[in-house]
Every structure is written in C-alpha cells, then in structure tokens.
Amino acid sequence: MTDLSRIRAVLFDLFHTLVSLQVSQAPGPSTAELLGTDNETWWRVWTHDSDRYTLGLARLEEILPAKARIANPAVTAGQIQEALISRPARFRHALINVEPETLAGLGRLRAAGLKIGLITNCGADEVSAWPESPLAPLFHATVFSCREGLRKPDPRIYRLAADRLGLEPAACLFTGDGASDEFTGARQAGMTPVLITRHLEVMAPERIASAEPLAAFRVSTVSALADLLCPAPSPP
C-alpha cells in the first residue's frame, strides 16, 4: 500500500483527467466529422508523430492540414478551415465547463495544505483559454509542454513541475489517465503515479485495464482522491 503520509503535492494531467471534450459535451461536430473521417482514424493520425506540435515547434495551422489529408485524402480546403476554427473553440468549452465535483475536489486538496500542479502535453491552441478556466486559480504551478519544450514521459518535465512547487518528486503524486506513457515517466522522475478514471469511463473504458497496472493505485474522481489524502476526522 502506498504511504500517503509523505505526500505534499498532487500533480495532474489535464485532458482526459480533469477535462475532456466528451464529458463537457463540447458543442458542434468533432474534428473527425468535419474532416470527413471517423474518430478512430483521426485519433490514430492525430496522435502519431505529434511531438513538434506538443513541443511548441509547429502551430495548429501547420499540423492539422497535413494530418487531415492523411486521414482523408479527399478532404477539402473548406473542411480544413472549418476544423481549424472549431477545434480551439471546443477545447475552450472543455476548459470553461469543468465538472463541479472536480473543482470541489481540488479545493479540498488545497484546503488541506497540499500543493496542486499541472503537467500536460498540449498544443498552444488547446490551452489558449486556460486563463479563463475555473481550474486556473486552483493551481500553484503549471507546466505546458508547448511552452517548455518538454513533454511527457520525459522525466525532466515532472522534475520541473516539482521544482516549481518547491518540493522533491518523492513528495508528489502524479494523477492522470495513463496516456503518453506518463506513468512510466512519473516513476522515473521519482513520483507516485495514480490512475483517475472519470473521463476514461465515458470516452475510452477499454483503456482502463491496460493503464491500471502501471499506477500505484486507482481512483474514480478528484473527490475520491481527496477522500484518501484528506479524510474527514473521525467522530468523537
């Protein structure tokens, strides 16, 4: 069993951990639909060789058209332009419309004196609305891959986040959905990885079984994690 008494901070992944297009029910057609392909094909093409985008070396306007033509060779310029407009708006919706349970759980962790950090692989357009998000004021430190030139699972990005919190990695939990081999990177950096399943249960429940063995333990929600780290005092 993981010793939680030494934990002084919780670092979170962002997408599919705290927010997602699916759970927030972002309005309008998906990018795949706009580009005339299916979600599985688009996800495979979009996530393949995405380092330049998530490291901040290429903008959405460069990456999306090229990947759109791979996913659907018959895609039109009009479809691509519509996707370029729609995608940032849908991500903004997800960042603004955060589940109340998530915000309450983060608030409980902060109230208990824990530091809260963020480590996310992302393109600049995906997090352009971060300052507007109700999540933003709840975090003591944020690390966006596109701004730092580092991405998970590179152990350096985890250590950077710990440094910004003024803590050693061993005092930190890293909580995520397990994508991008992020749990391996967290362990290599000295953190304890935790699987959170709220968004996976909605968007990709089949991924839970493969992610769980890589984590120290599993929780369903941020509030469930808060229950473990800051339980209510026992009645007298």
Side-chain angles (χ1 to χ4, degrees), residues 60-83:
L60 180 67
E61 292 80 1
E62 301 171 58
I63 294 295
L64 189 144
K67 288 184 176 287
R69 294 184 182 102
I70 295 172
N72 176 13
V75 70
T76 67
Q79 287 174 298
I80 291 173
Q81 184 59 32
E82 192 172 357

Side-chain angles (χ1 to χ4, degrees), residues 30-33 37-44:
S30 69
T31 300
E33 291 172 311
T37 187
D38 61 89
N39 287 326
E40 183 178 347
T41 298
W42 177 244
W43 179 253
R44 184 177 67 253

Side-chain angles (χ1 to χ4, degrees), residues 139-223:
F139 282 78
H140 296 97
T142 55
V143 177
F144 300 103
S145 66
C146 60
R147 298 176 186 173
E148 307 298 341
L150 294 169
R151 54 170 279 153
K152 296 174 290 184
D154 189 329
R156 292 176 296 172
I157 198 169
Y158 302 86
R159 296 185 188 120
L160 175 61
D163 286 346
R164 289 183 178 173
L165 293 173
L167 295 168
E168 292 297 320
C172 304
L173 295 181
F174 173 78
T175 305
D177 65 305
S180 304
D181 204 18
E182 62 186 2
F183 292 159
T184 299
R187 286 192 185 277
Q188 290 175 346
M191 295 183 183
T192 300
V194 179
L195 173 65
I196 188 166
T197 61
R198 164 66 182 127
H199 291 267
L200 287 180
E201 288 164 6
V202 173
M203 54 172 288
E206 69 280 359
R207 283 176 43 197
I208 295 174
S210 59
E212 188 166 7
L214 302 175
F217 60 93
R218 163 184 169 178
V219 294
S220 57
T221 63
V222 178
S223 290

Side-chain angles (χ1 to χ4, degrees), residues 2 6 9 13 15 21 23 36-37 54 68-69 71 93 109 112 117 123 132 145 152 174 192 202 214 220 236:
T2 303
R6 61 184 173 81
D13 171 45
F15 296 112
L21 301 178
V23 169
T37 187
T54 54
R69 294 184 182 102
H93 177 91
L109 294 172
E132 304 172 62
S145 66
K152 296 174 290 184
F174 173 78
T192 300
V202 173
L214 302 175
S220 57

